[in-house]
């Protein structure tokens, strides 16, 4: 108990966050696909003027006339959604290899604040609530510990989270509209000055909800699956068990958190200008507008890179955590 859990969790989280940052960036770009803050389209967004083939000119010799043109609605073409590979290739072609690590400084700060807090607090609650006689902790208690730890961690790390989303999304904007933050410190300073201190906690309700879901599903499921593997003697307590339990935990976390993550990304990334109505009034408004405009499956945009990132992230997180625990235990 004490600071050990925070140190172990912080080191493991920073390593995992940096290792999977490119997939996280691709996920953010995919989640912003199809987003629009334009006014609601009219029933006929595009109109084409056609002249009838048998139209007669209006002359003094003839009274037989026909309209010179007909207004025919032309449907707006649907833009194809790019997959994770296409998005990644586009980033490389248009922005260069370094763009895959845009916002990595914010990722490091976010993991330092958010993940260190949630991992350390979860460890404290888990040890506190474990039955001293049997040495076991029910799944419900693990989930409760995850929910509490995730909420506190998210509240602490939200400013870095907002900065990370904006820095990752900046490259998709036209040059004139880019924020061009030089670092996470620059991003936080400019947001505070230009948009107010409250902007640093924009989308915090969604961040907290997502963090509660991720922490509860990720940490609780890892502990539960690992215990089941060891109890049934499927594998010994080693790398194989850690990888299996952590990848399973990553999948559970991705399924549970992706809808909240999409809304969080859009709310955090929206531009708010003085005298101009914001694209979204809040998380619920963003969710409703997203579903109405793009359908329910829009809430699972970026799921492939989410699971592609969440799986390796969780594997690296827990494998690193187990190794760090062993190292610190030997001291």
């Amino acid at each position: 108990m004490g600071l050990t859990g925070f140190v172990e969790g912080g080191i493991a989280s920073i390593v995992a966050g940096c290792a999977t940052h490119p997939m996280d960036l691709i996920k953010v770009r995919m989640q912003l696909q199809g987003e629009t803050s334009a006014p609601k389209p009219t029933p006929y967004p595009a109109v084409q003027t056609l002249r009838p083939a048998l139209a007669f000119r209006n002359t003094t010799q003839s009274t037989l006339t026909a309209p010179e043109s007909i207004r025919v609605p032309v449907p707006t073409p649907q833009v194809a959604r790019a997959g994770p590979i296409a998005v990644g290739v586009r980033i490389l072609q248009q922005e260069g290899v370094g763009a895959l690590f845009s916002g990595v400084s914010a990722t490091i700060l976010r993991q330092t604040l958010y993940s260190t807090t949630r991992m350390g607090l979860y460890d404290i609650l888990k040890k506190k609530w474990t039955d001293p006689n049997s040495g076991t902790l029910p799944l419900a208690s693990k989930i409760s510990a995850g929910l509490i730890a995730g909420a506190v961690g998210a509240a602490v790390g939200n400013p870095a989270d907002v900065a990370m989303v904006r820095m990752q999304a900046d490259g998709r904007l036209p040059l004139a509209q880019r924020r061009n933050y030089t670092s996470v410190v620059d991003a936080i300073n400019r947001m505070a000055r230009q948009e107010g201190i409250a902007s640093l906690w924009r989308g915090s309700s969604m961040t907290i909800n997502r963090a509660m879901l991720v922490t509860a599903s990720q940490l609780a499921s890892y502990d539960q699956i690992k215990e089941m593997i060891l109890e049934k003697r499927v594998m010994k307590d080693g790398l194989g068990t850690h990888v299996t339990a952590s990848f399973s935990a990553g999948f559970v976390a991705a399924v549970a958190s992706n809808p909240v993550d999409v809304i969080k990304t859009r709310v955090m990334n929206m531009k708010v200008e003085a005298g101009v109505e914001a694209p979204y009034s809040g998380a619920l408004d963003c969710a409703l507008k997203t579903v109405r405009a793009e359908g329910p499956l829009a809430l699972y945009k970026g799921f492939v890179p989410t699971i592609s990132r969440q799986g390796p992230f969780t594997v690296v997180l827990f494998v690193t955590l187990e190794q760090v625990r062993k190292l610190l235990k030997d001291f």
Side-chain angles (χ1 to χ4, degrees), residues 11 36 40 81 87 146 166 184 259 319 322 324:
I11 294 172
T36 175
K40 292 182 180 179
R81 301 283 186 262
V87 171
R166 290 191 174 195
V184 63
V319 169
E322 297 284 1
V324 171

Side-chain angles (χ1 to χ4, degrees), residues 9-213:
I11 294 172
S13 298
I14 291 171
V15 171
C18 291
T20 58
H21 184 82
M23 285 309 302
D24 195 45
L25 182 140
I26 291 172
K27 176 204 71 175
V28 167
R29 296 288 182 92
M30 289 185 69
Q31 288 174 339
L32 293 172
Q33 284 186 125
E35 182 187 31
T36 175
S37 57
K40 292 182 180 179
T42 57
Y44 302 108
V47 178
Q48 182 175 347
T49 302
L50 302 178
R51 184 180 296 278
L54 298 178
F56 295 96
R57 293 179 181 273
N58 189 9
T59 64
T60 54
Q61 287 84 7
S62 174
T63 57
L64 183 61
T65 61
E68 291 192 359
S69 63
I70 299 174
R71 304 283 282 180
V72 180
V74 178
T76 303
Q78 295 295 316
V79 180
R81 301 283 186 262
I85 296 177
V87 171
V89 170
R90 184 188 302 158
I91 292 171
L92 289 172
Q93 290 175 338
Q94 297 178 357
E95 304 170 50
V97 177
L100 291 175
F101 286 90
S102 296
V104 72
S105 61
T107 291
I108 294 172
L109 180 60
R110 176 178 180 269
Q111 297 300 337
T112 302
L113 297 175
Y114 159 62
S115 287
T116 299
T117 302
R118 73 176 182 125
M119 297 287 285
L121 186 56
Y122 176 79
D123 187 61
I124 288 175
L125 293 175
K126 187 174 70 170
K127 289 176 180 177
K128 186 175 182 180
W129 293 346
T130 296
D131 188 331
N133 298 319
S134 63
T136 60
L137 182 68
L139 178 59
S141 297
K142 293 172 186 171
I143 292 173
S144 298
L147 292 173
I148 295 171
V152 175
V156 171
N158 200 82
D161 208 356
V162 177
M164 183 185 71
V165 167
R166 290 191 174 195
M167 292 173 76
Q168 289 177 334
D170 211 35
R172 67 186 284 273
L173 298 173
L175 289 173
Q177 297 179 22
R178 292 183 185 179
R179 299 178 174 101
N180 295 317
Y181 298 133
T182 57
S183 67
V184 63
V185 175
D186 178 52
I188 291 175
N189 281 337
R190 284 171 55 184
M191 278 189 285
R193 285 200 321 267
Q194 298 170 5
E195 304 171 48
I197 296 294
S199 68
L200 298 177
W201 275 269
R202 181 171 294 149
S204 59
S205 62
M206 296 304 296
T207 303
I208 291 172
N209 288 335
R210 177 189 179 276
M212 291 172 70
L213 288 172

Side-chain angles (χ1 to χ4, degrees), residues 30 171 202 237 246 264 278 300-301:
M30 289 185 69
R202 181 171 294 149
D237 189 4
S246 58
K264 175 184 77 73
Y300 275 91
K301 279 185 176 180

